[in-house]
Amino acid sequence: MIYNKILENIKSNKTAVGLNININSPHLVEFFGSMGFDWVFIDCEHGSMSDSEAENMIRAAELYDMASVVRVAANEPYLILKMLDAGARGIVVPHIDNKDEAIKARNAAKYPPLGLRGSNYGTGRNNKYGSLINDTEEYYKFANNNTILFALIESKEAVENIDEILSVDGIDATWLGPSDMALSMGLPGKNQVQKYLDIVVKKTIEKGKISAATHSGPDQFDEYEHFHKLGSKVLSITSLSLMKQAAINWQKNIRKLD
């Protein structure tokens, strides 16, 4: 069985540190994996990766024991199934605004009796083509427990329905969407958006589930610290923002030489 690095860290009360990548680059996954990152977020909603390209990024993550988490483009069973069969350890489903949408995502991501996920037992890379499986029932149970299903909470409606969303067995975690949250609220002040995000984190932790938070820039460490104190143990940053900041600083220093 292949274990989930995110879950291993959480069980050890450690933060799972990850990278967001929205371009097709298995090499970039390997590059950050070599630095010791615990997991990678492969963005197939805002990224342009094909199914095969995303699968190759999942393979690259496995080289460094990184857990791969894929954000699918929509809450559609066939999209979720493809990425799980490709070996993703977690799925982020966008626009989970109510209980019905949470149930739909759960049914797609979890095997019966919890959900309705179809089986590729013995024929998929997610289970090493059956080579490591001795007991079918044991495998399905392990897969359900080892696969993290994140509900992306990114609207005012979702916050208003957060208790019902979290009540769905099989929704393992929430993922914060600050920018879309602000848009859904009519772009109010930062404090009002923060209040809604905090509600999601607190409710998630109260339910004994996993809270994930991400931000786009390395200069937003205070935001990470804030959510970590509230209980978020799955944190990530956009990989391009890290490289962008380093490039800007280097270029600025070099130009000072003139």
Side-chain angles (χ1 to χ4, degrees):
M1 301 292 190
I2 303 173
Y3 290 87
N4 191 320
K5 187 70 173 290
I6 295 174
L7 293 176
E8 289 181 349
N9 278 35
I10 290 173
K11 289 175 182 176
S12 300
N13 199 31
K14 297 178 181 177
T15 300
V17 183
L19 260 297
N20 298 5
I21 300 179
N22 63 356
I23 58 174
N24 172 32
S25 181
H27 289 90
L28 201 55
V29 176
E30 286 188 73
F31 175 68
F32 284 108
S34 71
M35 297 180 194
F37 282 86
D38 301 311
W39 62 281
V40 60
F41 173 80
I42 301 168
D43 191 353
C44 292
E45 182 187 19
H46 291 285
S48 59
M49 287 83 76
S50 68
D51 293 339
S52 294
E53 289 168 343
E55 183 175 298
N56 283 332
M57 292 174 73
I58 291 170
R59 285 192 178 95
E62 291 171 356
L63 291 175
Y64 289 92
D65 195 29
M66 300 170 78
S68 52
V69 175
V70 177
R71 174 159 67 177
V72 293
N75 188 6
E76 292 296 338
Y78 77 95
L79 295 176
I80 295 170
L81 181 63
K82 281 184 178 182
M83 291 299 100
L84 289 176
D85 284 355
R89 299 288 172 264
I91 295 289
V92 176
V93 182
H95 306 294
I96 299 296
D97 293 327
N98 54 55
K99 186 175 182 178
D100 288 342
E101 290 169 357
I103 291 172
K104 181 180 179 181
R106 185 275 312 279
N107 286 345
K110 303 291 185 176
Y111 288 116
L114 186 55
L116 301 173
R117 176 183 171 184
S119 175
N120 70 338
Y121 180 86
T123 62
R125 70 179 312 278
N126 59 302
N127 55 50
K128 295 290 185 181
Y129 308 99
S131 62
L132 298 179
I133 301 171
N134 296 316
D135 182 278
T136 307
E137 186 176 350
E138 179 188 356
Y139 167 70
Y140 292 140
K141 183 178 179 180
F142 173 84
N144 278 351
N145 292 333
N146 197 53
T147 300
I148 307 174
L149 176 59
F150 296 85
L152 183 47
I153 307 300
E154 51 187 337
S155 72
K156 184 172 182 283
E157 179 186 355
V159 178
E160 292 169 348
N161 294 325
I162 191 63
D163 287 320
E164 290 189 355
I165 292 170
L166 290 170
S167 73
V168 176
D169 193 12
I171 295 293
D172 305 300
T174 57
W175 188 291
L176 300 178
S179 297
D180 282 346
M181 180 74 72
L183 285 169
S184 77
M185 297 171 67
L187 296 176
K190 179 182 177 181
N191 289 340
Q192 186 61 29
V193 177
Q194 190 73 57
K195 177 182 176 181
Y196 271 57
L197 297 174
D198 288 357
I199 288 172
V200 176
V201 175
K202 290 175 182 177
K203 294 276 189 179
T204 301
I205 300 304
E206 286 173 5
K207 290 288 186 180
K209 300 193 176 188
I210 299 167
S211 171
T214 185
H215 291 282
S216 59
D219 57 342
Q220 295 176 304
F221 187 78
D222 58 330
E223 297 285 345
Y224 290 104
E225 189 173 31
H226 171 77
F227 287 119
H228 188 270
K229 286 181 179 178
L230 289 181
S232 296
K233 288 290 189 178
V234 180
L235 303 175
S236 66
I237 189 169
T238 303
S239 58
L240 293 183
S241 71
L242 284 176
M243 293 185 287
K244 179 181 178 180
Q245 188 64 54
I248 289 173
N249 290 339
W250 180 85
Q251 183 181 184
K252 185 187 299 183
N253 289 331
I254 290 297
R255 293 191 185 282
K256 288 178 181 178
L257 300 176
D258 293 335

